[in-house]
Coordinates of all heavy atoms in Angstrom, one line a residue:
L1 N 78.9 90.9 109.8 CA 78.5 92.1 109.0 C 77.1 92.4 109.3 O 76.7 93.5 109.5 CB 78.8 91.8 107.5 CG 78.4 92.9 106.6 CD1 79.0 94.3 106.9 CD2 78.7 92.5 105.1
L2 N 76.2 91.4 109.1 CA 74.8 91.6 109.4 C 74.5 92.0 110.8 O 73.8 93.0 111.1 CB 74.0 90.3 109.1 CG 72.5 90.4 109.3 CD1 71.9 91.5 108.5 CD2 71.9 89.0 109.0
L3 N 75.2 91.4 111.8 CA 75.0 91.8 113.2 C 75.4 93.3 113.4 O 74.7 94.0 114.1 CB 75.8 90.9 114.1 CG 75.7 91.2 115.6 CD1 74.3 91.0 116.1 CD2 76.7 90.3 116.3
Y4 N 76.5 93.7 112.9 CA 77.0 95.1 113.0 C 76.0 96.0 112.4 O 75.6 97.1 113.0 CB 78.4 95.3 112.5 CG 79.0 96.6 112.9 CD1 79.5 96.8 114.2 CD2 78.9 97.7 112.1 CE1 80.0 98.0 114.6 CE2 79.4 98.9 112.5 CZ 80.0 99.1 113.7 OH 80.5 100.3 114.1
L5 N 75.6 95.7 111.2 CA 74.6 96.6 110.5 C 73.3 96.7 111.3 O 72.7 97.7 111.4 CB 74.4 96.1 109.1 CG 75.5 96.3 108.1 CD1 75.2 95.5 106.8 CD2 75.7 97.8 107.8
A6 N 72.8 95.5 111.8 CA 71.6 95.5 112.5 C 71.7 96.2 113.8 O 70.7 96.9 114.2 CB 71.1 94.1 112.7
C7 N 72.8 96.1 114.5 CA 73.0 96.8 115.8 C 73.1 98.3 115.6 O 72.8 99.0 116.6 CB 74.2 96.3 116.5 SG 74.0 94.6 117.2
H8 N 73.4 98.8 114.4 CA 73.5 100.2 114.2 C 72.4 100.6 113.1 O 72.7 101.5 112.3 CB 74.9 100.5 113.7 CG 75.9 100.2 114.7 ND1 76.5 99.0 114.9 CD2 76.4 101.0 115.7 CE1 77.3 99.0 115.9 NE2 77.3 100.2 116.4
R9 N 71.3 100.0 113.3 CA 70.1 100.3 112.4 C 69.8 101.8 112.3 O 70.0 102.5 113.3 CB 68.9 99.5 113.0 CG 67.7 99.6 112.1 CD 66.6 98.8 112.8 NE 65.4 98.9 112.0 CZ 65.1 98.2 110.9 NH1 65.9 97.4 110.5 NH2 63.9 98.5 110.3
D10 N 69.4 102.2 111.1 CA 69.0 103.6 110.9 C 70.1 104.6 111.0 O 69.9 105.8 111.1 CB 67.8 104.0 111.8 CG 66.6 103.1 111.6 OD1 66.3 102.8 110.4 OD2 65.9 102.8 112.6
R11 N 71.4 104.1 110.9 CA 72.5 105.0 110.9 C 73.4 104.6 109.7 O 73.8 103.4 109.6 CB 73.3 104.9 112.2 CG 74.5 105.8 112.3 CD 75.2 105.8 113.6 NE 75.9 104.5 113.9 CZ 77.2 104.3 113.5 NH1 77.8 105.2 112.7 NH2 77.8 103.2 113.8
P12 N 73.8 105.5 108.9 CA 74.7 105.2 107.8 C 76.1 104.8 108.3 O 76.6 105.4 109.3 CB 74.8 106.5 107.0 CG 73.6 107.3 107.4 CD 73.3 106.9 108.8
I13 N 76.6 103.7 107.8 CA 77.9 103.2 108.2 C 78.9 103.2 107.0 O 78.6 102.6 106.0 CB 77.8 101.8 108.8 CG1 76.8 101.9 110.0 CG2 79.1 101.3 109.2 CD1 76.4 100.5 110.5
S14 N 80.0 103.8 107.1 CA 81.0 103.9 106.0 C 81.7 102.5 105.9 O 81.7 101.7 106.8 CB 82.0 105.0 106.3 OG 82.9 104.6 107.4
W15 N 82.2 102.3 104.7 CA 83.0 101.1 104.4 C 84.2 101.0 105.4 O 84.6 99.9 105.8 CB 83.3 100.9 103.0 CG 84.4 101.8 102.5 CD1 84.3 103.1 101.9 CD2 85.8 101.6 102.5 NE1 85.5 103.6 101.6 CE2 86.5 102.7 101.9 CE3 86.6 100.5 102.9 CZ2 87.9 102.7 101.8 CZ3 88.0 100.6 102.8 CH2 88.6 101.7 102.2
Q16 N 84.8 102.2 105.7 CA 85.9 102.2 106.6 C 85.6 101.7 108.0 O 86.3 100.9 108.6 CB 86.6 103.6 106.6 CG 87.1 104.1 105.3 CD 86.1 105.0 104.6 OE1 84.9 104.9 104.7 NE2 86.7 105.9 103.7
E17 N 84.4 102.2 108.5 CA 84.0 101.7 109.8 C 83.7 100.2 109.8 O 84.0 99.5 110.7 CB 82.7 102.5 110.2 CG 82.2 102.1 111.6 CD 80.9 102.8 112.0 OE1 80.6 103.9 111.4 OE2 80.3 102.4 112.9
L18 N 83.1 99.7 108.7 CA 82.8 98.3 108.6 C 84.1 97.5 108.6 O 84.2 96.5 109.3 CB 82.0 98.0 107.4 CG 80.6 98.4 107.4 CD1 79.9 98.2 106.0 CD2 79.8 97.7 108.5
V19 N 85.1 97.9 107.9 CA 86.4 97.2 107.9 C 87.0 97.2 109.3 O 87.5 96.2 109.8 CB 87.4 97.9 106.9 CG1 88.8 97.4 107.1 CG2 87.0 97.7 105.5
R20 N 87.0 98.4 110.0 CA 87.6 98.4 111.4 C 86.8 97.6 112.4 O 87.4 96.9 113.2 CB 87.7 99.9 111.8 CG 88.8 100.7 111.2 CD 89.0 102.0 111.8 NE 87.8 102.8 111.8 CZ 87.5 103.7 110.9 NH1 88.3 103.9 109.8 NH2 86.4 104.4 110.9
Q21 N 85.5 97.7 112.3 CA 84.7 97.0 113.3 C 84.3 95.6 113.0 O 84.3 94.8 114.0 CB 83.4 97.8 113.5 CG 83.6 99.2 114.0 CD 84.3 99.3 115.3 OE1 84.1 98.5 116.2 NE2 85.2 100.3 115.5
V22 N 84.1 95.2 111.8 CA 83.7 93.9 111.4 C 84.9 93.0 111.2 O 85.0 91.9 111.8 CB 82.7 93.9 110.2 CG1 82.4 92.4 109.8 CG2 81.5 94.6 110.5
W23 N 85.8 93.4 110.4 CA 87.0 92.6 110.0 C 88.1 92.9 111.0 O 89.1 92.2 111.0 CB 87.4 92.8 108.6 CG 86.4 92.2 107.6 CD1 86.4 90.9 107.3 CD2 85.3 92.7 107.0 NE1 85.4 90.6 106.4 CE2 84.7 91.7 106.2 CE3 84.8 94.0 107.0 CZ2 83.6 92.0 105.4 CZ3 83.7 94.3 106.2 CH2 83.1 93.2 105.4
Q24 N 88.0 93.9 111.8 CA 89.0 94.3 112.8 C 90.4 94.4 112.2 O 91.4 93.9 112.7 CB 89.0 93.4 114.0 CG 87.7 93.4 114.7 CD 87.6 92.5 115.9 OE1 88.5 91.7 116.1 NE2 86.5 92.6 116.6
C25 N 90.5 95.1 111.1 CA 91.8 95.4 110.5 C 91.9 96.9 110.1 O 90.9 97.6 110.1 CB 92.1 94.5 109.4 SG 91.1 94.7 107.9
D26 N 93.1 97.3 109.8 CA 93.3 98.7 109.4 C 92.7 98.9 108.0 O 92.7 98.0 107.1 CB 94.8 99.0 109.4 CG 95.1 100.4 109.1 OD1 94.7 101.2 110.0 OD2 95.6 100.8 108.1
V27 N 92.2 100.1 107.7 CA 91.6 100.4 106.4 C 92.6 100.2 105.3 O 92.2 99.9 104.2 CB 91.0 101.8 106.4 CG1 90.5 102.2 105.1 CG2 89.9 101.9 107.5
S28 N 93.9 100.4 105.6 CA 94.9 100.2 104.5 C 95.0 98.8 104.0 O 95.5 98.6 102.9 CB 96.3 100.7 105.0 OG 96.7 99.8 106.1
C29 N 94.5 97.8 104.7 CA 94.5 96.4 104.2 C 93.2 96.0 103.5 O 93.0 94.8 103.2 CB 94.9 95.5 105.3 SG 93.5 95.3 106.5
A30 N 92.3 97.0 103.2 CA 91.0 96.7 102.6 C 90.7 97.7 101.5 O 91.4 98.7 101.4 CB 89.9 96.7 103.7
T31 N 89.7 97.4 100.8 CA 89.2 98.2 99.7 C 87.7 98.4 99.8 O 87.0 97.5 100.4 CB 89.6 97.7 98.3 OG1 88.9 96.5 98.1 CG2 91.1 97.5 98.2
P32 N 87.2 99.4 99.2 CA 85.7 99.5 99.2 C 85.1 98.4 98.4 O 84.0 97.9 98.8 CB 85.4 100.8 98.4 CG 86.7 101.6 98.5 CD 87.8 100.6 98.6
E33 N 85.8 97.8 97.4 CA 85.2 96.7 96.7 C 85.1 95.4 97.6 O 84.1 94.7 97.4 CB 86.1 96.4 95.5 CG 86.1 97.4 94.4 CD 86.9 98.7 94.7 OE1 87.8 98.6 95.5 OE2 86.5 99.7 94.2
M34 N 86.0 95.3 98.5 CA 85.9 94.1 99.4 C 84.6 94.2 100.2 O 83.9 93.2 100.3 CB 87.1 94.1 100.4 CG 87.1 93.0 101.4 SD 88.4 93.2 102.6 CE 87.5 93.9 103.9
V35 N 84.3 95.4 100.7 CA 83.1 95.6 101.5 C 81.8 95.5 100.6 O 80.9 94.8 100.9 CB 83.1 96.9 102.2 CG1 81.8 97.2 103.0 CG2 84.3 97.0 103.2
R36 N 81.9 96.0 99.4 CA 80.8 96.0 98.5 C 80.5 94.5 98.1 O 79.3 94.1 98.1 CB 81.2 96.8 97.2 CG 80.0 96.9 96.3 CD 80.3 97.8 95.0 NE 80.9 99.1 95.4 CZ 82.0 99.6 94.9 NH1 82.7 98.9 94.0 NH2 82.4 100.8 95.3
N37 N 81.5 93.7 97.9 CA 81.3 92.3 97.6 C 80.7 91.6 98.8 O 79.8 90.7 98.6 CB 82.6 91.6 97.1 CG 83.0 92.1 95.8 OD1 82.1 92.4 94.9 ND2 84.3 92.1 95.5
A38 N 81.1 91.8 100.0 CA 80.5 91.2 101.2 C 79.1 91.6 101.3 O 78.2 90.7 101.7 CB 81.4 91.6 102.4
V39 N 78.8 92.8 101.1 CA 77.4 93.3 101.2 C 76.5 92.6 100.1 O 75.4 92.2 100.4 CB 77.3 94.8 101.1 CG1 75.8 95.3 101.0 CG2 77.9 95.5 102.4
R40 N 77.1 92.5 98.9 CA 76.4 91.9 97.8 C 76.0 90.4 98.2 O 74.9 90.0 98.0 CB 77.2 91.9 96.6 CG 76.4 91.4 95.3 CD 77.2 91.5 94.1 NE 77.5 92.9 93.8 CZ 78.8 93.4 93.5 NH1 79.8 92.6 93.5 NH2 79.0 94.7 93.2
R41 N 77.0 89.7 98.7 CA 76.8 88.3 99.1 C 75.7 88.2 100.2 O 74.9 87.3 100.2 CB 78.1 87.6 99.5 CG 79.0 87.4 98.4 CD 80.2 86.5 98.8 NE 81.0 87.1 99.9 CZ 82.0 87.9 99.8 NH1 82.4 88.3 98.6 NH2 82.7 88.3 100.8
L42 N 75.8 89.1 101.2 CA 74.8 89.2 102.2 C 73.4 89.4 101.7 O 72.4 88.8 102.1 CB 75.2 90.2 103.3 CG 74.3 90.3 104.5 CD1 74.2 89.0 105.3 CD2 74.9 91.4 105.4
R43 N 73.3 90.3 100.7 CA 72.0 90.6 100.1 C 71.4 89.3 99.4 O 70.2 89.1 99.5 CB 72.1 91.7 99.1 CG 72.2 93.1 99.8 CD 72.3 94.2 98.7 NE 72.2 95.5 99.3 CZ 72.9 96.5 99.0 NH1 73.8 96.4 98.0 NH2 72.7 97.7 99.6
V44 N 72.3 88.6 98.8 CA 71.8 87.3 98.1 C 71.3 86.4 99.2 O 70.2 85.8 99.0 CB 73.0 86.7 97.3 CG1 72.6 85.3 96.9 CG2 73.3 87.6 96.1
K45 N 72.0 86.3 100.3 CA 71.5 85.4 101.4 C 70.2 85.8 102.0 O 69.4 85.0 102.4 CB 72.6 85.2 102.4 CG 73.8 84.5 102.0 CD 74.8 84.4 103.1 CE 76.1 83.7 102.5 NZ 77.1 83.6 103.5
L46 N 70.0 87.1 102.0 CA 68.8 87.7 102.6 C 67.6 87.8 101.5 O 66.6 88.3 101.9 CB 69.0 89.1 103.2 CG 69.9 89.1 104.4 CD1 70.3 90.6 104.7 CD2 69.3 88.4 105.6
D47 N 67.9 87.4 100.3 CA 67.0 87.6 99.2 C 66.6 89.0 99.1 O 65.4 89.4 99.0 CB 65.8 86.7 99.4 CG 64.9 86.6 98.1 OD1 65.5 86.8 97.0 OD2 63.7 86.4 98.2
D48 N 67.6 89.9 99.1 CA 67.4 91.4 99.1 C 68.0 91.9 97.8 O 68.8 92.9 97.8 CB 68.1 92.0 100.3 CG 67.7 93.5 100.5 OD1 66.6 93.9 100.0 OD2 68.5 94.2 101.1
T49 N 67.8 91.2 96.7 CA 68.5 91.5 95.4 C 67.5 92.1 94.4 O 67.9 92.3 93.2 CB 69.1 90.3 94.8 OG1 68.1 89.3 94.6 CG2 70.2 89.7 95.7
G50 N 66.3 92.5 94.7 CA 65.4 93.1 93.8 C 65.8 94.5 93.4 O 66.8 95.0 93.8
A51 N 64.9 95.1 92.6 CA 65.2 96.5 92.2 C 65.2 97.5 93.3 O 66.0 98.4 93.3 CB 64.1 96.9 91.2
E52 N 64.4 97.3 94.3 CA 64.4 98.1 95.5 C 64.8 97.3 96.7 O 64.2 96.2 97.0 CB 63.0 98.7 95.8 CG 62.6 99.8 94.9 CD 63.4 101.0 95.1 OE1 63.6 101.4 96.3 OE2 63.8 101.7 94.1
P53 N 65.8 97.7 97.4 CA 66.3 97.0 98.6 C 65.2 97.0 99.7 O 64.5 97.9 99.8 CB 67.5 97.7 99.0 CG 67.5 99.0 98.4 CD 66.6 98.9 97.2
R54 N 65.2 95.9 100.5 CA 64.3 95.8 101.6 C 65.0 96.0 102.9 O 64.4 96.5 103.9 CB 63.6 94.5 101.6 CG 62.6 94.3 100.5 CD 61.9 92.9 100.6 NE 62.9 91.9 100.5 CZ 62.7 90.6 100.8 NH1 61.5 90.2 101.3 NH2 63.6 89.7 100.7
Y55 N 66.3 95.6 102.9 CA 67.0 95.6 104.2 C 68.3 96.5 104.2 O 68.4 97.4 105.0 CB 67.4 94.2 104.6 CG 66.3 93.2 104.6 CD1 66.3 92.2 103.7 CD2 65.3 93.3 105.5 CE1 65.2 91.3 103.7 CE2 64.2 92.4 105.5 CZ 64.2 91.4 104.6 OH 63.2 90.5 104.6
I56 N 69.1 96.3 103.3 CA 70.4 97.0 103.3 C 70.5 98.0 102.1 O 70.4 97.6 100.9 CB 71.6 96.0 103.1 CG1 71.6 94.9 104.2 CG2 72.9 96.7 103.1 CD1 72.6 93.8 104.0
W57 N 70.6 99.2 102.5 CA 70.6 100.3 101.5 C 72.0 100.8 101.3 O 72.8 100.9 102.3 CB 69.7 101.5 102.0 CG 68.3 101.1 102.1 CD1 67.7 100.5 103.1 CD2 67.3 101.4 101.1 NE1 66.3 100.3 102.8 CE2 66.1 100.9 101.6 CE3 67.3 102.1 99.9 CZ2 64.9 101.0 100.9 CZ3 66.1 102.2 99.2 CH2 64.9 101.7 99.7
T58 N 72.4 101.2 100.1 CA 73.6 101.8 99.8 C 73.4 103.3 99.6 O 72.6 103.7 98.8 CB 74.2 101.2 98.5 OG1 74.4 99.8 98.6 CG2 75.6 101.9 98.2
L59 N 74.1 104.1 100.4 CA 74.0 105.5 100.4 C 75.2 106.0 99.7 O 76.3 106.0 100.3 CB 73.8 106.1 101.8 CG 72.7 105.5 102.6 CD1 72.7 106.1 104.0 CD2 71.3 105.8 101.9
R60 N 75.1 106.5 98.5 CA 76.2 106.9 97.7 C 77.1 107.9 98.3 O 76.6 108.9 98.8 CB 75.7 107.4 96.3 CG 76.8 107.7 95.3 CD 76.2 108.2 94.1 NE 77.1 108.0 93.0 CZ 76.9 108.3 91.8 NH1 75.7 108.6 91.4 NH2 77.8 108.1 90.8
G61 N 78.4 107.7 98.4 CA 79.3 108.6 99.0 C 79.3 108.6 100.5 O 80.1 109.3 101.2
V62 N 78.4 107.7 101.1 CA 78.3 107.7 102.6 C 78.6 106.3 103.1 O 79.5 106.1 104.0 CB 76.9 108.1 103.1 CG1 76.8 108.0 104.6 CG2 76.6 109.5 102.6
G63 N 77.9 105.3 102.6 CA 78.1 103.9 103.1 C 76.8 103.1 103.0 O 76.1 103.2 102.0
Y64 N 76.6 102.3 104.0 CA 75.5 101.4 104.0 C 74.6 101.6 105.2 O 75.0 102.1 106.2 CB 76.0 99.9 104.0 CG 76.9 99.6 102.9 CD1 78.2 99.8 103.0 CD2 76.3 99.2 101.6 CE1 79.1 99.5 101.9 CE2 77.1 99.0 100.6 CZ 78.5 99.1 100.7 OH 79.3 98.9 99.6
Q65 N 73.3 101.2 105.1 CA 72.4 101.4 106.2 C 71.3 100.4 106.1 O 70.8 100.0 105.1 CB 71.7 102.8 106.0 CG 70.8 103.2 107.2 CD 70.3 104.6 107.1 OE1 70.8 105.4 106.3 NE2 69.3 104.9 107.8
V66 N 71.0 99.8 107.3 CA 69.9 98.9 107.4 C 68.7 99.8 107.9 O 68.8 100.4 109.0 CB 70.2 97.8 108.4 CG1 68.9 97.0 108.8 CG2 71.2 96.9 107.9
A67 N 67.6 99.8 107.1 CA 66.5 100.6 107.5 C 65.3 100.2 106.6 O 65.5 99.6 105.6 CB 66.8 102.1 107.3
E68 N 64.1 100.6 107.0 CA 63.0 100.3 106.2 C 63.1 101.1 104.9 O 63.0 100.6 103.8 CB 61.7 100.8 106.9 CG 61.4 100.0 108.1 CD 60.2 99.2 108.1 OE1 59.4 99.4 107.1 OE2 60.0 98.4 108.9
Q69 N 63.5 102.4 105.0 CA 63.9 103.2 103.9 C 64.6 104.4 104.4 O 64.1 105.0 105.4 CB 62.7 103.7 103.0 CG 63.1 104.4 101.8 CD 62.0 104.5 100.8 OE1 60.9 104.0 101.0 NE2 62.2 105.2 99.7
P70 N 65.8 104.7 103.9 CA 66.5 105.9 104.5 C 65.7 107.1 104.4 O 64.9 107.3 103.4 CB 67.8 105.9 103.6 CG 67.9 104.6 103.0 CD 66.5 104.0 102.9
E71 N 65.9 108.0 105.3 CA 65.2 109.3 105.2 C 65.6 110.1 104.0 O 66.7 109.9 103.5 CB 65.6 110.2 106.4 CG 65.1 109.6 107.7 CD 65.4 110.6 108.9 OE1 65.6 111.8 108.7 OE2 65.5 110.0 110.0
K72 N 64.7 110.9 103.5 CA 65.0 111.7 102.3 C 66.1 112.8 102.7 O 65.8 113.6 103.5 CB 63.8 112.4 101.8 CG 62.7 111.4 101.4 CD 63.0 110.6 100.2 CE 61.8 109.7 99.8 NZ 62.2 108.7 98.9
T73 N 67.2 112.7 102.0 CA 68.3 113.7 102.2 C 68.9 114.0 100.9 O 68.4 113.6 99.9 CB 69.4 113.1 103.2 OG1 70.0 112.0 102.5 CG2 68.8 112.7 104.5
D74 N 70.0 114.7 100.9 CA 70.7 115.0 99.7 C 71.5 113.8 99.2 O 72.0 113.8 98.1 CB 71.7 116.2 99.9 CG 70.9 117.5 100.2 OD1 69.8 117.6 99.8 OD2 71.5 118.4 100.8
M75 N 71.6 112.8 100.0 CA 72.3 111.6 99.6 C 71.5 110.8 98.6 O 70.3 110.6 98.8 CB 72.6 110.7 100.9 CG 73.5 111.4 101.9 SD 73.8 110.3 103.3 CE 72.2 110.3 104.1
K76 N 72.1 110.3 97.6 CA 71.5 109.4 96.6 C 71.5 108.0 97.1 O 72.6 107.5 97.5 CB 72.1 109.5 95.3 CG 71.9 110.8 94.6 CD 72.4 110.8 93.2 CE 72.0 112.0 92.5 NZ 72.4 112.0 91.1
V77 N 70.4 107.3 97.1 CA 70.4 105.8 97.4 C 70.6 105.1 96.1 O 69.9 105.3 95.1 CB 69.0 105.5 98.0 CG1 69.0 104.0 98.3 CG2 68.8 106.3 99.3
I78 N 71.5 104.2 96.1 CA 71.8 103.4 94.9 C 71.9 101.9 95.2 O 72.0 101.6 96.4 CB 73.1 103.9 94.2 CG1 74.3 103.7 95.2 CG2 73.1 105.3 93.8 CD1 75.7 103.9 94.6
R79 N 71.8 101.1 94.2 CA 71.9 99.7 94.3 C 73.2 99.2 93.7 O 73.6 99.7 92.6 CB 70.8 99.0 93.6 CG 69.5 99.0 94.4 CD 69.5 98.2 95.6 NE 69.4 96.8 95.3 CZ 69.8 95.9 96.1 NH1 70.2 96.2 97.3 NH2 69.7 94.6 95.8
F80 N 73.9 98.3 94.3 CA 75.0 97.6 93.8 C 74.7 96.1 93.6 O 74.1 95.5 94.3 CB 76.3 97.7 94.6 CG 76.9 99.1 94.5 CD1 76.8 100.0 95.5 CD2 77.7 99.3 93.4 CE1 77.4 101.2 95.3 CE2 78.3 100.5 93.3 CZ 78.2 101.5 94.2

């Protein structure tokens, strides 16, 4: 998961893309919660659990992004 996010740095990645590319299974066998929990565990390992993320950003309605800080857009950045 970290490798895929890092290799696609500065680009939002949907939970569906992560399921297909990281877990290599069909989206029908996964849920957004599965990906959210995996990202949460990864954040704990990276010590990225503060009020403001340092590495992995959640872009509401879009997905996840590894970046210093996502560009200002209409997308809301949220923490899980």
Side-chain angles (χ1 to χ4, degrees):
L1 176 59
L2 179 58
L3 179 62
Y4 191 81
L5 288 169
C7 286
H8 297 88
R9 182 178 176 83
D10 297 323
R11 179 176 72 83
I13 301 170
S14 70
W15 73 269
Q16 296 97 333
E17 180 180 345
L18 289 172
V19 167
R20 285 191 301 268
Q21 299 299 323
V22 174
W23 287 277
Q24 299 181 351
C25 68
D26 189 67
V27 175
S28 64
C29 70
T31 64
E33 289 78 24
M34 180 186 97
V35 176
R36 189 177 304 130
N37 287 332
V39 169
R40 185 178 299 129
R41 287 190 305 270
L42 183 57
R43 283 181 172 141
V44 168
K45 290 178 182 180
L46 294 173
D47 193 27
D48 192 25
T49 58
E52 284 292 317
R54 293 182 297 165
Y55 307 114
I56 303 173
W57 294 80
T58 300
L59 304 174
R60 187 177 197 173
V62 178
Y64 301 94
Q65 182 174 348
V66 170
E68 298 245 349
Q69 184 164 359
E71 290 183 27
K72 302 289 183 198
T73 65
D74 293 336
M75 297 180 288
K76 289 188 175 182
V77 176
I78 59 171
R79 283 292 287 160
F80 281 103

